[in-house]
Amino acid sequence: MARIEEYIPIVGQSLIDDLGLLAERLKGKVVQHINSTPVGGGVAEILSRMVPLLNGLGVDTKWDLIKGGEQFFEVTKKFHNALHGRAEEITQRDFEVFMETSKQNIENVDTYGDIVFVHDPQPIVLINKKAANKWLWRCHIDVSNPNERVWKFLMDFIVQYNSAVFSAPSFSRKLPVRQFLIPPSIDPLGDKNKELPQETIDSVLKKYGIKKDKPIVTQISRFDRLKDPVGVIEAYQKVKKYINCQLILAGGTAEDDPEGIKVLDEVREKSKDDADIHILLLPQNDIEVNALQRASDIIVQKSLREGFGLTVSEALWKSKPVVASNVGGIPLQIKHKYSGLLCHSVEGASFAIKQLLSSPGYAKKLGENGHEHIKNNFLITRHLRDYILLFLSLYHPEDVIHLC
Ligand code: UDP
């Protein structure tokens, strides 16, 4: 894990000095993150970088997990989709399943932190254990248009937290508790994003039997309907009529996402007649994701709904031209025709991919602008500062934080 000083050449000395000063103010406090999966998806990705860096800064930070069975995660996946505004049939039994597992977690999870930082709906009921400590609820989902029944159910718990955190202004909700808007981030020095030697990139391509003989278009995502992998194949098929290229759809599974295997089957079925479509079931391996992103000519993120979309930041950081849907946190990252191309449909995605494949100079410029935008806004150092200020704010009810 990189030490905090190693970020100075990227973000400058003063931000790193600031972090040290701010972190000192949290001496003696324990920050405890709680979520539902150690790997897979953006929340685990961020925590795996954030927790060691906070500890490195002297903020005593822990990371604990709740447990749940298949039924529980089927329900929470439905909640997730419904909160993103997708039509889902939620039954009374689903709420009961959710509460039964939540009660077990209340019994089994020790909430010892001075600050308990709960991520997403899965562990939300733990708030029933609130004592004199401070509790934060971090929502990583775009809840701008949620299923009202699920949202109302969650509200009974949210209102008990000291504060809630959302990724983007458009995701915030009317709440009786304080809200913070803090976008996620990527770690430029982690295995997922650091520079890689060309041999490493080539060896990963070789491992998956991918040749560099035609342009590579890639989407890396969990196999989830909201990431629309089938739509990506349809967009690629339209491009392929005009430009000979290949498609990589790569993803792993998350422990809290039981739908993955079904979606993977659908994707395999849809692509079975085309040897230029590479469907890769990835192990949890950041270097491989990094190498595939770097090997690509274009990165696609054709999500139907999105929380923030870390894969977009990762691609832009690597100066890749990106075609991505105008949903969730993606427009915070991509200004259309400046730092990438936004799309709204299969046709739009295929048009944008064609445009970028046939205009390499334009594609390169978009990637360069994207890199700068991520550097200025979505690196983990900014995120660390925001989180430390958030923690300090819990002890300053008047909204004033004295830094010296
Ligand atoms: N990811 C990964 N392996 C995979 C698929 C995704 O490491 O096989 C990572 C991806 O690089 C990104 C995160 O998981 O860091 C996904 O975050 P994002 O915000 O894009 O989507 P989420 O999965 O949270 O909906």
Short mmCIF file of all heavy atoms in Angstrom, two decimals, residues 98 246 285 342:
data_model
loop_
_atom_site.label_atom_id
_atom_site.label_comp_id
_atom_site.label_asym_id
_atom_site.label_seq_id
_atom_site.Cartn_x
_atom_site.Cartn_y
_atom_site.Cartn_z
N PHE A 98 -35.50 -9.28 5.04
CA PHE A 98 -34.51 -8.24 5.31
C PHE A 98 -34.37 -8.01 6.82
O PHE A 98 -33.26 -7.94 7.36
CB PHE A 98 -34.94 -6.95 4.60
CG PHE A 98 -33.95 -5.83 4.73
CD1 PHE A 98 -32.81 -5.79 3.94
CD2 PHE A 98 -34.14 -4.80 5.66
CE1 PHE A 98 -31.88 -4.75 4.06
CE2 PHE A 98 -33.22 -3.76 5.78
CZ PHE A 98 -32.10 -3.75 4.97
N GLN A 246 -12.93 -5.49 -31.91
CA GLN A 246 -13.27 -6.59 -31.00
C GLN A 246 -13.80 -6.01 -29.68
O GLN A 246 -13.51 -4.85 -29.34
CB GLN A 246 -12.08 -7.51 -30.76
CG GLN A 246 -10.82 -6.81 -30.34
CD GLN A 246 -9.61 -7.75 -30.30
OE1 GLN A 246 -9.75 -8.94 -30.06
NE2 GLN A 246 -8.43 -7.20 -30.53
N ASN A 285 -8.75 -9.36 -9.30
CA ASN A 285 -7.35 -9.10 -9.59
C ASN A 285 -7.23 -7.71 -10.23
O ASN A 285 -7.56 -7.51 -11.40
CB ASN A 285 -6.82 -10.18 -10.54
CG ASN A 285 -5.35 -10.02 -10.82
OD1 ASN A 285 -4.84 -8.91 -10.97
ND2 ASN A 285 -4.65 -11.13 -10.89
N LEU A 342 -21.16 11.12 -24.01
CA LEU A 342 -22.31 10.56 -23.28
C LEU A 342 -23.31 10.00 -24.28
O LEU A 342 -23.45 10.53 -25.38
CB LEU A 342 -22.99 11.66 -22.45
CG LEU A 342 -22.16 12.21 -21.28
CD1 LEU A 342 -22.85 13.42 -20.66
CD2 LEU A 342 -21.92 11.14 -20.22
#
